[in-house]
Amino acid sequence: MLTREEGEEEKEEEEEEEAKGRRRAFSINDNVDLLAEILGRLDGRSLAVAGCVCRLWNAVGRRDSVWEAVCHRHVAGGGSSGAGGGCSTRSVVAALGGYRRLYRLCIGPALDRLAGSAGGRGSTTTTAEAAAAHHLSLSLSLSLFSIDCYERLGGRQQRPASLLFLCKPVDVS
Amino acid sequence: MKREHQETGAGGGSGYHVATAADMAGAKGKMTAAPSMGMEDDDCGVDELLAALGYKVRSSDMADVAQKLEQLEVAMASTAAAASDDASVLPQIASDTVHYDPSDLATWLDSMLSELNAPPPPLPPPPPVAAAVHHHHRFDVSTASAITTVAPLRPSDAYDFKPVPPPAAASGGRVVYGLDPQSEMIVSPRDQKRKRTCSPSSSSSRGAEAGRARGSRTEGASSAKPAAALPVVVVDTQETGIRLVHALMACAEAVQQENLKAADALVKHISVLAASQDGPMRKVAGYFAEAIARRIYRRRPLFQVDRALDSPALEDLLHLHFYESCPYLKFAHFTANQAILEAFSGCRRVHVIDFGMRQGLQWPALLQALALRPGGPPSLRLTGIGPPQSDQSDALQQVGWKLALLAKTIGVDFHYRGFVASSLADLESRMLVERDGNEGDRDDEGEEEAVAVNSVLELHRLLSRTGALEKVLRMVLAVRPRIVTVVEEEANHNGGTFLDRFTEALHYYSSMFDSLEGGGGQAADAGEEEEQQKHRAMAEAYLGRQICNVVACEGAERTERHETLGQWRGRMARAGFEPAHLGSNAFKQASMLLALYAGGDGFRVEETDGCLTLGWHTRPLIATSAWRVSAASAH
């Protein structure tokens, strides 16, 4: 008994020292769920950039749950208006190819296009309207995404082109 | 030579250089078209014919002349290719009115060939009859080129026949085809003058050539008049654009009056004018010129051979590219799906009948929306109707298989059935839906399935046969649908005289082609740019076939009988349907979709009495409407 108590005390001391050490040098890489939570608050481009940092970040950045958070955040406008049936949405989107693909093919280009055009007009919409617009744009994005998925099903077409109109101009000067 | 000239005129976007070279050859060939037409139609008396027209060419020299023409064509093609800005070369060439004495063909060709080293070489417009007018003015090429760059702002009062200046002056070169009656009246005396010179000619080719030469003489004369006032005569793109439109109208009028010789001459003139245009106007003019030529020559056996190459597979491919390159079909699908979705709310079993299945691009979005609707997806049955295929492949079944695969992936209970029918009027309602007592219709709870009928750009084809549309609408009533979604082109291509139809079609397809050009987004790299251009070219070919059908065909062959929304409303009401308003959701979704298109500023979504229309600027081009069985006819 004495030895065990001593062992426990020693362990506690060691843990305290380790904890102190950890508090002094906290590494996000040790806490992957926290990392995922943080990355999920980024916008698409930053998240893609974050995926270039290291293998761990790349792996976390590829999680569909992270991209799901990104999609909902940037499309639902901060409020989860599409929460009625979030589980079924997830399964449908997963079946169609996943949130990361949805963002890359539909939502990202659409947001870029809308941002480009809205910058010229100036945003005068209220938050409710913006939320409604974003909610609709999620359903619109999903519609476009499903058409793209359908086009790829055939296999005979090399480049399904129903989303070509969303291509964003890239300045290569 | 005539025929391939038309083809290259209508060749459209691909091979601009080839088209310009060929058109230039054609323009030069107009000069030798007289002798060559003379040779085709009259085998003897070539020398007299040429001499009468003022060309001092011995028939033995003709081979030499022909060879030099070929050299000239090659040289001009290479010059055009080397030019830095394609758009300015051709208007310069077409508009620099440097006249040489063309009576001596061989030496003229020599001088042309030698001059080609200095860019850009001047090209004489349709040459005046040498005996009548002698133009020996020599205009400085450099000043001509300086002026042409300022062309879009050119004052229009230098020309005595100029109609009301177009409002497109601000838009810089793009022609607006608002032919208000005022401008029509101003121009028509001139056109009639041209026609009157053409009609008295009774001999075949010679008369046409003389008429055309006289027509061009009047133009040459009027362009020579301001030559005294200004140092250079310039024809800017707007001017030729308006002339082009008026030439098209004059040609249509000639066809309507069965004056085929004049029409033939005008068609060639149109092709030359079209070559000086740029962008959508050139393509539209090319397609219309080709269609009118087909109409004129339709009695020749060549015409039938072309028609035999039609196949539903090609039609589907072009339709697919049309879908991908512009938003009209997507708009149609999304708004129709929204109406169907709202009509199906709360139903556990739903059935959609699609009158034009094609590639089934409307249905993935509906499947996804049904999968995500609150309350879970219903079980969906889809009946697709398509035309018979020429080859052995069963396109309908393949589409059904793809849709079933998608439905299985996202978890929607899906059944598919395909019907092959060459015309919708061949169908019976009992084929589509079993009613009243059949076991297959009801499930355990005895709930009937809700039916929706969807027709995207299909109903207008039925108008070519009397009674077919009424039969189909009766069949739709018998099916007792919850909602009928109808999408049709917003144009009147089925009424009145040929000239009315032609005018309407010209305006409609001009707007369509404009929107294709302006609505395409920029691509990220050269590969995608190429893809987009390929899609656009094929979309234009798709529209070109419609143009051909509207202009060149008659009777049962003319299937593209578009009617306006008002006319469709009347027909649906008479058949026993009442309108169902498309909700604001559909409007917002359509607006959002259009906002995603790069040229989105040009597209307009409008709501009129519960129907949605999509148009380019002020012109609505496609309309979606929803209908339900009226209480009176439901009894």
Side-chain angles (χ1 to χ4, degrees), chain A residues 89 92 95-96 110 113 133 136 139-140 142-144 146-147 150-151 153 156 159 161-162 164-165 167 169, chain B residues 323-324 330 334 359 364-365 368 372 399 402-403 405-406 409 522 528 531-532 535 588-589 592 596-598:
Chain A
T89 313
V92 168
L96 288 175
R113 182 65 57 77
L136 276 176
S139 69
L140 185 69
L142 284 174
S143 302
L144 294 171
S146 59
I147 294 172
Y150 170 75
E151 281 188 326
L153 273 181
R156 57 183 175 88
R159 287 190 70 154
S162 69
L164 255 191
F165 72 100
C167 293
Chain B
Y323 176 87
E324 281 158 3
K330 287 202 187 76
F334 282 16
Q359 303 289 315
Q368 167 264 315
L372 290 179
V399 166
K402 270 172 69 171
L403 284 170
L405 199 58
L406 181 71
T409 322
Q522 303 92 3
E528 280 172 359
E531 285 267 336
Q532 278 192 354
H535 289 306
K588 282 187 210 143
Q589 212 181 32
M592 179 74 52
L596 294 179
Y597 271 83

Side-chain angles (χ1 to χ4, degrees), chain B residues 132-151:
Chain B
V133 182
H134 297 282
H135 290 284
H136 288 284
H137 311 121
R138 185 107 193 215
F139 297 109
D140 204 334
V141 176
S142 56
T143 53
S145 51
I147 295 291
T148 39
T149 52
V150 184

Side-chain angles (χ1 to χ4, degrees), chain B residues 295-336:
Chain B
R295 194 184 175 94
I296 295 172
Y297 295 121
R298 74 182 148 196
R299 289 176 213 101
R300 292 203 189 167
L302 239 65
F303 176 67
Q304 270 75 26
V305 170
D306 284 338
R307 278 280 158 239
L309 294 174
D310 280 355
S311 67
L314 175 66
E315 181 79 34
D316 271 355
L317 182 69
L318 293 179
H319 183 88
L320 186 65
H321 286 280
F322 181 65
Y323 176 87
E324 281 158 3
S325 61
C326 53
Y328 300 106
L329 289 180
K330 287 202 187 76
F331 163 82
H333 292 173
F334 282 16
T335 46

